[in-house]
Amino acid sequence: MKIAVIGSGYVGLVTGACFAELGNDVICVDIDEDKISRLNNNIVPIYEPGLDEMIRRNRKEGRLGFTTDLRKAIKESDVIFICVGTPPKENGEADVSYVESVAGTIADVMDSYKVIVEKSTVPVETGEKVAKSIKDYNIHKVDFDVVSNPEFLREGAAIDDFMHPDRIVIGCESEKSRQIMKKLYEPLKAPICFTDIKSAEIIKHASNSFLATKISFINAISGICELAGADIEKVAEGMGLDKRIGRRFLNAGIGYGGFCFPKDAEAFIRISEKLGYDFRLLKEVQEVNHAQRKNFVKKIEKALWVVKGKTIGILGLAFKPDTDDMRFAPSVEIIKALQMDGAKIKAYDPKAAGKAREIFKEIIYCDNPYDAAKGSDALVIITEWDEFKELDLKKIKSLMKHPLVIDGRNIYEPESMRKEGFAYISIGRKDVV
Ligand code: NAD
């Protein structure tokens, strides 16, 4: 099938590359000329495991191309995936102006039947508005269908998630578009949940909000564990063995971040409000998330007594492992708070330093975890990259000014840290002091 993917970011690039890998003829579009010129030189602007090779292979085999020519891409495609950003506006609502702008161009150019697929995360009723706008402005008055096909990929595991999804959600309201979407996704042999468009839009926001709720729930329990002297890891294990609950997303830590959960929860609250529902549960989920971050900073402040003039080594800047994405990363808020306290920050992240440099000029970027530990009064773990789980702790201790580790992701065992001679503070477990 001939596919245009509009918006070549984390979602668009993975969508484009994977559909090409499945044998389709794909053109990825972006308004960012620099991004497209880099992609045309095999330079992938994001870090996503396996994506470089997949893009290179499919370009070489002629199934994948990159362009800034949106009009041509629309004209020459049967199916158009809208993958542009929907960032939060100041009031928390999703900014759908990029989606509207693409819909406007489609209406202007389209002269034959197309399936227009919203893959970006959008408020419920956006599909309806996209369809109306295209219908009103389409000068050729041709037939088309709008479909909602929300994306559930996780950065860091995006290709695997796309190729082996738990489910594919397709909101469509015509048999023709249903058959086209079915054919497109058939090779994945995954369960397809067909719904109406509005239900598909809500499935996306409801799913992300549910996962955010699970994270905030376990974080709230971690606070209770700290007060009671219990161990959150054991509590999560005991809860998670219940199949109705499940162990995933029960990892206590410094709260969720990234480009999806914070903005989608906020947007869902606003959408519900507009529809006439006060989503108090989700507001509380956000509150717990903010508090978790603040409490973590307090733990650091308490452990160091006076932060001013201290050197703090940070391990991990990206909002999660295996990505370079810094959008709404917990590290940003934590580092800013520590800088306000007068700390000197040294940081190491395997992939996100480039993007972090656009946010923080004044921190020292290290080439490895040992450089970050060198001369530090405390080592703070913010992102649970695998390489941090296998550090030479004896070497770390010998390099630090003071052997204090504050772990926001519970990657070490308190008892083994005690044996290594560290003061060790983590989440929802007894401190080793
Ligand atoms: P992104 O910012 O990485 O990419 C969006 C791209 O769209 C940018 O490159 C931008 O230049 C481009 N763009 C904007 N307007 C355009 C236009 N008129 N024509 C062509 N290109 C245009 O964003 P992302 O992380 O890929 O997210 C895209 C959407 O997918 C969002 O709605 C997001 O919520 C959703 N989503 C993201 C993830 C994720 O993990 N990142 C997962 C699921 C869903």
Side-chain angles (χ1 to χ4, degrees):
M1 238 179 275
K2 280 178 163 278
I3 297 174
V5 174
I6 320 296
S8 304
Y10 287 87
V11 169
L13 285 177
V14 171
T15 302
C18 288
F19 274 131
E21 184 80 3
L22 294 174
N24 298 288
D25 190 355
V26 181
I27 183 82
C28 288
V29 187
D30 208 285
I31 41 171
D32 183 336
E33 285 180 12
D34 179 51
K35 193 178 260 187
I36 292 300
S37 112
R38 285 161 75 190
L39 284 161
N40 277 325
N41 286 301
N42 280 333
I43 301 166
V44 180
I46 58 166
Y47 172 70
E48 183 58 47
L51 187 60
D52 279 46
E53 303 90 85
M54 192 181 265
I55 287 180
R56 202 164 299 138
R57 188 169 55 245
N58 282 286
R59 278 195 71 217
K60 202 166 156 207
E61 289 171 16
R63 289 191 298 263
L64 180 62
F66 298 98
T67 183
T68 51
D69 192 343
L70 178 57
R71 302 175 77 85
K72 186 163 181 273
I74 293 168
K75 236 181 171 50
E76 293 175 357
S77 303
D78 309 313
V79 183
I80 301 163
F81 280 86
I82 303 179
C83 301
V84 297
T86 47
K89 293 199 279 194
E90 236 163 57
N91 67 358
E93 277 178 26
D95 179 355
V96 288
S97 58
Y98 303 108
V99 175
E100 193 213 23
S101 144
V102 172
T105 313
I106 294 173
D108 209 27
V109 175
M110 187 174 68
D111 57 4
S112 62
Y113 175 80
K114 314 272 176 204
V115 178
I116 298 141
V117 188
E118 47 171 43
K119 206 173 227 336
S120 300
T121 304
V122 290
V124 62
E125 296 176 350
T126 301
E128 207 170 69
K129 287 171 187 153
V130 165
K132 184 172 182 329
S133 147
I134 295 178
K135 194 164 174 238
D136 289 351
Y137 288 96
N138 179 222
I139 33 177
H140 301 284
K141 298 291 170 212
V142 291
D143 197 15
F144 69 94
D145 277 302
V146 170
V147 168
S148 166
N149 170 220
E151 183 51 58
F152 299 96
L153 61 77
R154 295 161 303 162
E155 289 177 19
I159 289 180
D160 198 49
D161 283 350
F162 191 95
M163 291 301 204
H164 308 282
D166 290 342
R167 76 329 199 167
I168 295 154
V169 173
I170 297 175
C172 60
E173 284 160 17
S174 81
E175 190 51 32
K176 191 172 179 183
S177 60
R178 181 186 166 110
Q179 290 309 325
I180 290 172
M181 294 303 287
K182 193 168 166 216
K183 192 166 166 218
L184 206 48
Y185 277 111
E186 221 151 41
L188 298 184
K189 300 193 181 354
I192 301 183
C193 171
F194 283 105
T195 73
D196 57 284
I197 295 173
K198 287 181 186 173
S199 300
E201 289 168 335
I202 288 190
I203 288 172
K204 175 62 189 175
H205 270 125
S207 300
N208 273 5
S209 300
F210 186 81
L211 293 173
T213 304
K214 219 174 160 189
I215 295 171
S216 277
F217 187 87
I218 201 67
N219 280 335
I221 303 292
S222 78
I224 299 171
C225 285
E226 286 174 13
L227 294 167
D231 183 335
I232 189 64
E233 294 302 320
K234 290 289 163 203
V235 173
E237 186 190 337
M239 286 173 65
L241 284 168
D242 185 329
K243 288 194 186 68
R244 294 169 302 176
I245 297 173
R247 179 67 181 81
R248 294 170 78 188
F249 284 80
L250 283 187
N251 296 317
I254 48 179
Y256 57 78
F259 192 54
C260 289
F261 287 2
K263 82 169 172 62
D264 291 352
E266 186 67 37
F268 205 22
I269 289 170
R270 299 291 151 241
I271 298 161
S272 309
E273 216 165 69
K274 275 194 171 170
L275 292 168
Y277 180 74
D278 180 8
F279 207 153
R280 283 179 300 165
L281 174 63
L282 201 48
K283 288 179 184 168
E284 192 54 35
V285 165
Q286 287 184 314
E287 275 307 306
V288 172
N289 200 55
H290 290 145
Q292 196 71 3
R293 206 101 85 223
K294 282 207 173 78
N295 288 342
F296 186 64
V297 172
K298 278 192 198 141
K299 277 173 188 270
I300 302 170
E301 290 168 344
K302 189 174 162 206
L304 283 171
W305 183 31
V306 174
V307 176
K308 194 173 175 190
K310 299 265 167 65
T311 301
I312 299 178
I314 301 279
L315 294 188
L317 295 164
F319 86 93
K320 63 188 269 189
D322 295 319
T323 181
D324 59 350
D325 199 346
M326 285 295 295
R327 293 176 294 182
F328 302 98
S331 63
V332 175
E333 201 180 317
I334 294 166
I335 290 172
K336 280 187 179 158
L338 296 174
Q339 285 177 324
M340 288 282 284
D341 284 342
K344 181 176 156 196
I345 305 291
K346 297 174 79 177
Y348 167 70
D349 187 284
K351 295 289 175 193
K355 297 217 158 100
R357 272 178 222 275
E358 294 164 20
I359 303 169
F360 295 113
K361 307 261 177 284
E362 64 291 0
I363 68 181
I364 299 167
Y365 291 94
C366 302
D367 293 334
N368 58 62
Y370 302 99
D371 275 352
K374 201 170 175 185
S376 290
D377 297 277
L379 197 58
V380 173
I381 298 164
I382 292 190
T383 317
E384 66 278 31
W385 285 90
D386 277 347
E387 84 172 82
F388 302 155
K389 297 174 185 164
E390 284 152 20
L391 293 178
D392 178 343
L393 291 171
K394 288 194 174 38
K395 187 171 169 189
I396 291 280
K397 183 166 176 260
S398 72
L399 290 166
M400 291 180 72
K401 200 162 166 188
H402 176 58
L404 166 64
V405 173
I406 303 159
D407 181 357
R409 300 292 184 181
N410 286 1
I411 65 173
Y412 298 121
E413 279 305 317
E415 206 33 52
S416 53
M417 292 302 275
R418 183 195 307 279
K419 285 190 186 135
E420 292 285 352
F422 284 96
Y424 178 67
I425 290 156
S426 55
I427 309 285
R429 302 185 294 183
K430 284 185 195 144
D431 292 346
V432 171
V433 285

